[in-house]
C-alpha cells in the first residue's frame, strides 16, 4: 500500500470520528460560547463618539497610552494584526476534512455552528484593539493596515494537512498561546499605567481561555475514541512545530522579516517566549495524560515516548536562547 493511500485511510477514519463528535460540539456552542446579545462588545471599552465629552475621553485615552513603551505598543499591534486575519482562519477551519461536509455556512452541523460562533467572538478582538490603537495615536495606522491587508492576502497554513485531528491540536495550542500573549500584554500595560488597556487585554484573554477549553475538550474526546490516531496527530504537529497564525504577515512586502521582528520583541519583553512554548507542550501532555495511555500500537508508542520528553527539550532550548539584543520596531509613528 503506498503512502498516499495510507494517509487517505487515516483521514477517512479521522473524519468518521469527527462526525461522531457533532452533538458534543453543538453542546459547546450552547455552553461555552456566549449569545451575541449578552457578549461584551468593543464599544464597552472605548469613548462614545456620540457624547459631548467624546474628545475629552479620547484625550484621556491618549494620555494613558503615551506612557506605554514602544516595545509593548509594537507587540500589541502584532497581536491585533493576528486577530484581524480571521477570514483566513474561518476558511481554513471549514476546509478541514469532515468539518463542513455539506459545504454550506448555513448548515446546522455542530462543527459549522462552532466555526461561525467562534469566529464571531474572535472578531471583536481585532475590532477593539484596532480602534484603541487608532485613537491612541501611537501607531502608524497606514502601515498597520497594509500589514493586515498583506496577511489576509497571503493566507494561512498551519501545516495540518486538512486533517481535523491535527487542526484540533493546533487550535488547542494556539488559543492557549494567544491567551498567554494577551495576559502578559495586559500586565505590561498595567505597569505602564494604562488600566483600560490592561482590562481590554485581560478581557480578550478571557475569551481565548474559553476557546482553549473548548478545543482541548474536543481533542480529549478524540483521545477517548481513537487514542492511536490522536497521539499520532499530536506528534505530527509537534514535529512540524506550531507556526503562529500571522507568520506570513511580511511575505511579499518590502519588509519580509516583519514576523521575525515581531517575534523577537514578544520574546524580549516576555509577552510570548520559548519557555511559554515549552510550557504549553507540557500542559497538553499532562492534560491528555499522554504518558499513561495504554493499548497503543507500535507507531503510537513511539509517538508517546517522543511527546513525553518534548517539553524538557524545549525548556533546555529556551534556557539557551538569548533575548535578542537588536530589535527593530515596526508600525510605529
Amino acid at each position: 500500500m503506498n503512502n498516499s493511500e495510507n494517509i487517505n485511510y487515516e483521514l477517512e477514519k479521522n473524519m468518521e470520528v469527527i462526525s461522531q463528535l457533532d452533538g458534543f460540539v453543538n453542546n459547546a456552542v450552547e455552553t461555552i460560547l456566549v449569545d451575541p446579545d449578552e457578549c461584551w462588545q468593543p464599544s464597552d471599552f472605548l469613548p462614545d463618539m456620540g457624547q459631548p465629552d467624546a474628545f475629552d475621553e479620547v484625550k484621556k485615552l491618549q494620555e494613558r497610552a503615551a506612557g506605554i513603551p514602544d516595545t509593548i505598543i509594537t507587540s500589541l499591534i502584532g497581536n491585533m494584526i493576528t486577530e484581524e486575519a480571521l477570514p483566513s482562519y474561518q476558511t481554513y477551519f471549514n476546509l478541514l476534512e469532515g468539518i463542513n461536509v455539506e459545504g454550506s455556512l448555513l448548515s446546522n452541523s455542530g462543527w459549522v455552528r462552532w466555526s461561525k460562533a467562534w469566529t464571531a467572538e474572535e472578531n471583536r478582538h481585532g475590532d477593539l484593539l484596532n480602534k484603541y490603537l487608532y485613537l491612541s495615536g501611537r501607531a502608524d495606522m497606514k502601515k498597520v493596515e497594509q500589514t493586515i491587508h498583506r496577511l489576509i492576502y497571503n493566507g494561512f497554513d498551519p501545516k495540518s494537512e486538512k486533517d481535523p485531528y491535527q487542526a484540533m491540536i493546533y487550535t488547542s495550542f494556539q488559543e492557549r498561546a494567544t491567551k498567554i500573549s494577551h495576559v502578559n500584554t495586559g500586565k505590561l500595560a498595567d505597569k505602564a499605567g494604562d488600566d483600560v488597556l490592561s482590562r481590554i487585554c485581560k478581557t480578550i484573554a478571557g475569551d481565548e481561555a474559553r476557546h482553549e477549553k473548548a478545543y482541548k475538550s474536543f481533542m480529549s474526546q478524540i483521545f477517548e475514541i481513537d487514542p492511536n490516531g490522536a497521539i499520532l496527530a499530536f506528534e505530527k504537529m509537534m514535529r512540524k512545530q506550531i507556526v503562529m497564525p500571522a507568520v506570513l504577515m511580511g511575505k511579499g512586502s518590502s519588509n519580509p522579516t516583519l514576523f521575525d521582528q515581531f517575534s523577537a520583541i514578544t520574546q524580549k519583553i516576555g509577552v510570548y517566549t520559548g519557555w511559554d512554548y515549552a510550557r504549553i507542550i507540557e500542559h497538553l501532555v499532562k492534560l491528555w495524560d499522554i504518558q499513561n495511555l495504554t493499548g497503543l500500537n507500535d507507531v503510537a508508542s513511539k509517538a508517546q515516548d517522543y511527546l513525553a520528553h518534548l517539553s524538557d527539550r524545549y525548556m533546555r532550548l529556551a534556557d539557551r536562547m538569548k533575548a535578542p539584543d537588536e530589535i527593530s520596531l515596526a508600525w510605529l509613528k
Side-chain angles (χ1 to χ4, degrees):
M1 191 185 265
N2 73 29
N3 207 21
S4 68
E5 279 172 349
N6 239 340
I7 288 171
N8 287 344
Y9 164 74
E10 184 76 7
L11 258 183
E12 292 287 315
K13 167 184 64 70
N14 295 2
M15 282 168 64
E16 175 52 42
V17 171
I18 283 293
S19 69
Q20 288 174 41
L21 293 183
D22 208 71
F24 184 85
V25 177
N26 240 325
N27 186 53
V29 175
E30 303 297 338
T31 55
I32 294 179
L33 300 184
V34 186
D35 182 275
D37 290 340
E38 287 152 30
C39 246
W40 66 263
Q41 296 299 342
S43 52
D44 299 337
F45 297 87
L46 297 164
D48 180 348
M49 298 312 285
Q51 293 301 320
D53 67 345
F55 288 103
D56 296 335
E57 290 302 313
V58 171
K59 209 167 172 347
K60 281 185 207 161
L61 185 152
Q62 291 191 339
E63 280 162 8
R64 284 192 309 268
I68 302 173
D70 286 349
T71 46
I72 298 171
I73 292 288
T74 306
S75 172
L76 185 71
I77 294 169
N79 284 349
M80 181 268 276
I81 290 165
T82 306
E83 298 278 3
E84 288 280 42
L86 266 173
S88 298
Y89 314 148
Q90 189 182 17
T91 305
Y92 156 73
F93 198 83
N94 276 280
L95 288 172
L96 294 165
E97 296 290 355
I99 293 292
N100 192 340
V101 183
E102 295 158 61
S104 161
L105 279 175
L106 299 179
S107 160
N108 272 330
S109 112
W111 285 111
V112 178
R113 285 187 67 217
W114 170 268
S115 97
K116 291 183 294 186
W118 167 74
T119 303
E121 286 200 1
E122 288 280 351
N123 188 58
R124 300 163 309 145
H125 303 169
D127 280 357
L128 173 52
L129 293 174
N130 198 325
K131 285 171 183 150
Y132 170 88
L133 283 159
Y134 172 73
L135 291 173
S136 78
R138 292 291 307 275
D140 180 337
M141 288 309 289
K142 178 76 181 271
K143 279 207 179 83
V144 169
E145 288 153 0
Q146 284 168 332
T147 308
I148 295 168
H149 190 151
R150 177 69 62 183
L151 180 54
I152 298 172
Y153 178 102
N154 282 338
F156 169 59
D157 178 22
K159 302 188 169 44
S160 58
E161 305 163 41
K162 287 179 87 170
D163 174 6
Y165 283 19
Q166 290 184 61
M168 295 310 142
I169 297 284
Y170 180 86
T171 44
S172 297
F173 192 105
Q174 191 48 51
E175 293 284 356
R176 190 170 180 86
T178 322
K179 174 186 78 179
I180 289 166
S181 198
H182 286 300
V183 164
N184 288 334
T185 307
K187 285 178 183 165
L188 291 169
D190 218 7
K191 247 188 210 154
D194 190 338
D195 57 325
V196 177
L197 177 58
S198 171
R199 206 166 76 243
I200 286 172
C201 292
K202 286 168 187 166
T203 303
I204 292 172
D207 274 5
E208 306 293 12
R210 280 187 298 111
H211 301 159
E212 175 200 349
K213 180 185 167 188
Y215 283 116
K216 289 190 311 195
S217 75
F218 301 161
M219 201 60 217
S220 294
Q221 291 292 308
I222 295 170
F223 267 105
E224 271 182 38
I225 301 168
D226 179 16
N228 285 307
I231 202 165
L232 224 58
F234 193 2
E235 182 204 21
K236 278 182 194 162
M237 267 334 282
M238 290 301 106
R239 283 196 188 277
K240 284 179 272 205
Q241 297 186 333
I242 298 287
V243 289
M244 295 301 147
V247 70
L248 298 178
M249 60 164 64
K251 186 183 168 216
S253 76
S254 57
N255 184 0
T257 63
L258 192 52
F259 181 78
D260 299 331
Q261 288 168 263
F262 164 53
S263 297
I265 288 164
T266 60
Q267 172 80 25
K268 191 172 181 72
I269 65 176
V271 160
Y272 183 74
T273 67
W275 289 292
D276 292 315
Y277 190 95
R279 280 193 291 262
I280 295 173
I281 296 172
E282 181 182 40
H283 169 79
L284 295 175
V285 165
K286 205 172 273 176
L287 176 82
W288 294 319
D289 203 17
I290 298 301
Q291 273 154 301
N292 298 314
L293 289 178
T294 53
L296 299 175
N297 62 32
D298 286 353
V299 188
S301 293
K302 286 198 180 78
Q304 181 180 40
D305 196 47
Y306 169 77
L307 291 165
H309 301 101
L310 192 59
S311 65
D312 292 343
R313 276 175 48 195
Y314 275 104
M315 272 298 178
R316 288 197 296 276
L317 272 176
D319 288 339
R320 288 203 299 272
M321 257 172 84
K322 272 180 51 231
D325 301 325
E326 281 303 305
I327 48 172
S328 36
L329 300 164
W331 309 302
L332 294 188
K333 271 271 189 269

